[in-house]
Amino acid sequence: MGMPKPPRGKVPLSIITISVCALAFVLLLYTERISPLSSGSIFSFTSCSAKRNAAKLKKSGDKNAYIKPISYAEDDRFEFDPEECSLVHGKWVFNRSVNPLYSDRTCPYLDRQVSCVTNGRLDSDYRHWQWQPDDCMLPRFDPQIALRKLQGKRLMFVGDSLQRGQWQSFVCLVESIIPQRQKSMKRGRIHSVFKAKEYNATIEFYWAPFLVESNSDVHIIADPKKRILKVDSVAKHAKHWTGVDILVFNTYVWWMSGLKIKSLWGSFDNGEEGYDELDAPVSYRIGLKTWANWVDSNINPNKTRVFFTTMSPTHQRSADWGNMNGTKCFNETKPITKKRHWGSGSDTRMMSAVTGVVERMKVPVTFINITQLSEYRIDAHSSIYTESGGKLLTDEEKADPLHYADCIHWCLPGVPDTWNQIFYAHL
């Protein structure tokens, strides 16, 4: 006897499932391409595999099973795939059982600015929060695998002091497994190089807070009113980026002075007059276009991978998260739990400028999308456990957090380790 025919007019369930998943995948690719930095996607949905696993958990009768910290040893259901998993959507989960791979006492390469424990911070919970995306699991940072991926390569972080923090984090994450004689560090005002000799690899940092040239690149001008940006020139910095295998850029916080930015075309040699005062997003977009043109003209994507770390949010207004009696990020000990929280320290106009420039580039740029997840971490800044003007804060200065608490930079170990966990996952 022949096989019975399916009822006419009914489509088999498997075909429907495959069709829905395919449509979801296409929509995800489209929305990620047009808005990779957004705090929320145009379409909000969970990947098909994640939905099936969530359904299994629901059937198990444990209402909290889906929101508990995931055990890496027992659970391999959600495997990170940058094409399918959005890192924007997720939550911070507290897990004291997982310790950082280093401390500011064990890693010799940390600046005092970010060495919060050494500078007197007593609470430690901020070091035990893990970012858990809704749809997948980030792989744990494995120093040995990371170094193998860098074998024979140059990795360079380019940008401001926040990017320097990410660089120091990456160095500290890998350096402890390297024998003392097989590693070295050469620090410079502009260019610093950590060498992992047995891997023939370097992990470098290049100081360029605006990416484009400015009169405040080497000798820092504290007064933003006196800074002038040469928004059409990047060559002075970029000559140091050639021949690098993996480039990780950032630039944001130096543009956020709250004032119009003095933007210059042409050479400083001809004098500093003739600048235009432009709104920050306008000047930012012009500077990014200059950087993008250099990347498109000089980078061979078959030889060099390009990354861009998105905005690192500042937490200067405690009213943003409902603490009307607070003083900036001072004395905050827990992350914000409100989903999609977005404070005044992240500028969507600047975010849109990055998106608009990058999506028109010929060379592919991978975003290390850290803005939304960092928005929640009001507890993890260096606050009063830092230095100012090259000196640790005095007791009098610590007692005045309104003027001295640093709610821009992050304690290490801390949030930048998660940024590097995401970077590592992309590698």
Side-chain angles (χ1 to χ4, degrees):
M1 292 179 65
M3 293 291 291
K5 296 181 179 179
R8 183 174 294 180
K10 292 187 177 180
V11 181
L13 183 60
S14 61
I15 296 178
I16 295 175
T17 303
I18 292 170
S19 300
V20 171
C21 287
L23 178 60
F25 179 66
V26 171
L27 288 173
L28 180 61
L29 286 178
Y30 179 72
T31 56
E32 287 295 321
R33 181 182 67 81
I34 63 172
S35 186
L37 300 180
S38 63
S39 59
S41 296
I42 297 173
F43 302 99
S44 179
F45 53 86
T46 307
S47 68
C48 297
S49 58
K51 279 185 175 178
R52 285 197 295 271
N53 288 314
K56 289 179 185 177
L57 290 168
K58 191 174 182 180
K59 286 181 182 178
S60 72
D62 184 354
K63 294 180 181 178
N64 296 318
Y66 194 47
I67 62 171
K68 287 180 179 177
I70 297 175
S71 167
Y72 286 91
E74 299 172 2
D75 195 329
D76 62 352
R77 288 169 298 177
F78 307 111
E79 188 173 326
F80 176 75
D81 182 342
E83 296 293 341
E84 291 190 20
C85 180
S86 170
L87 296 173
V88 169
H89 306 297
K91 56 189 166 293
W92 288 97
V93 177
F94 187 76
N95 190 351
R96 190 177 289 281
S97 65
V98 177
N99 290 312
L101 292 175
Y102 66 96
S103 74
D104 58 358
R105 297 184 188 275
T106 61
C107 182
Y109 306 119
L110 289 180
D111 291 339
R112 285 194 305 180
Q113 182 184 45
V114 296
S115 301
C116 297
V117 173
T118 300
N119 296 337
R121 182 165 183 170
L122 298 178
D123 64 300
S124 62
D125 283 359
Y126 69 93
R127 292 178 287 175
H128 297 283
W129 291 93
Q130 295 176 293
W131 181 247
Q132 183 176 301
D134 288 341
D135 296 351
C136 67
M137 186 195 300
L138 274 174
R140 278 187 297 187
F141 191 101
D142 187 315
Q144 200 159 44
I145 293 176
L147 286 167
R148 284 187 199 142
K149 290 178 181 292
L150 297 180
Q151 184 109 26
K153 292 184 170 64
R154 292 177 64 193
L155 162 62
M156 182 184 285
F157 293 87
V158 180
D160 56 25
S161 55
L162 290 158
Q163 196 76 335
R164 183 169 58 218
Q166 188 178 355
W167 166 69
Q168 289 179 38
S169 161
F170 197 98
V171 169
C172 290
L173 285 167
V174 301
E175 67 86 23
S176 64
I177 70 166
I178 305 172
Q180 193 63 39
R181 292 185 176 182
Q182 292 295 323
K183 59 188 175 186
S184 67
M185 172 70 84
K186 183 179 180 182
R187 295 292 294 262
R189 177 180 280 185
I190 300 295
H191 189 194
S192 298
V193 180
F194 173 81
K195 287 185 179 180
K197 298 176 184 177
E198 63 179 305
Y199 293 91
N200 187 29
T202 61
I203 304 167
E204 308 174 36
F205 172 70
Y206 184 86
W207 169 259
F210 297 102
L211 296 185
V212 293
E213 188 181 345
S214 81
N215 65 346
S216 186
D217 288 338
V218 180
H219 302 290
I220 306 301
I221 297 175
D223 185 355
K225 296 177 183 177
K226 297 180 180 179
R227 295 176 188 161
I228 301 175
L229 275 61
K230 193 176 172 187
V231 291
D232 66 339
S233 178
V234 75
K236 182 179 177 181
H237 296 316
K239 65 184 180 183
H240 298 280
W241 310 339
T242 56
V244 177
D245 301 281
I246 305 169
L247 285 162
V248 186
F249 294 96
N250 96 313
T251 185
Y252 168 62
V253 75
W254 275 58
W255 300 80
M256 302 307 295
S257 63
L259 305 167
K260 288 183 178 290
I261 293 177
K262 294 178 178 178
S263 306
L264 177 73
W265 286 261
S267 173
F268 286 127
D269 295 336
N270 298 327
E272 295 185 351
E273 297 302 321
Y275 58 77
D276 288 325
E277 291 193 338
L278 303 176
D279 290 333
V282 176
S283 184
Y284 187 61
R285 187 182 296 273
I286 296 170
L288 283 174
K289 283 182 177 179
T290 300
W291 162 81
N293 288 338
W294 181 88
V295 171
D296 279 344
S297 302
N298 294 275
I299 294 297
N300 179 349
N302 295 320
K303 294 182 178 180
T304 300
R305 291 188 68 183
V306 182
F307 293 83
F308 196 101
T309 304
T310 63
M311 300 181 306
S312 174
T314 64
H315 292 105
Q316 308 279 28
R317 293 181 68 253
S318 58
D320 284 351
W321 52 91
N323 185 359
M324 308 308 292
N325 297 318
T327 305
K328 303 197 292 187
C329 66
F330 174 67
N331 261 357
E332 297 290 355
T333 58
K334 292 182 179 179
I336 296 168
T337 56
K338 180 184 176 183
K339 283 277 191 178
R340 310 281 183 91
H341 167 78
W342 199 261
S344 57
S346 296
D347 192 314
T348 54
R349 298 171 302 165
M350 307 292 272
M351 192 168 63
S352 297
V354 177
T355 308
V357 169
V358 169
E359 69 180 3
R360 289 172 173 80
M361 293 174 65
K362 294 183 296 182
V363 172
V365 175
T366 301
F367 284 113
I368 305 174
N369 198 342
I370 57 96
T371 307
Q372 181 66 82
L373 64 92
S374 303
E375 270 282 8
Y376 303 121
R377 295 304 307 276
I378 54 175
D379 59 312
H381 289 287
S382 47
S383 185
I384 59 170
Y385 308 103
T386 187
E387 64 179 13
S388 178
K391 297 180 180 179
L392 291 176
L393 297 188
T394 64
D395 290 340
E396 290 77 17
E397 289 169 336
K398 287 181 178 179
D400 184 10
L402 181 63
H403 293 100
Y404 290 99
D406 182 348
C407 298
I408 296 174
H409 299 95
W410 306 90
C411 293
L412 288 177
V415 170
D417 300 328
T418 299
W419 303 352
N420 281 321
Q421 189 181 3
I422 294 169
F423 173 46
Y424 167 82
H426 281 292
L427 285 177

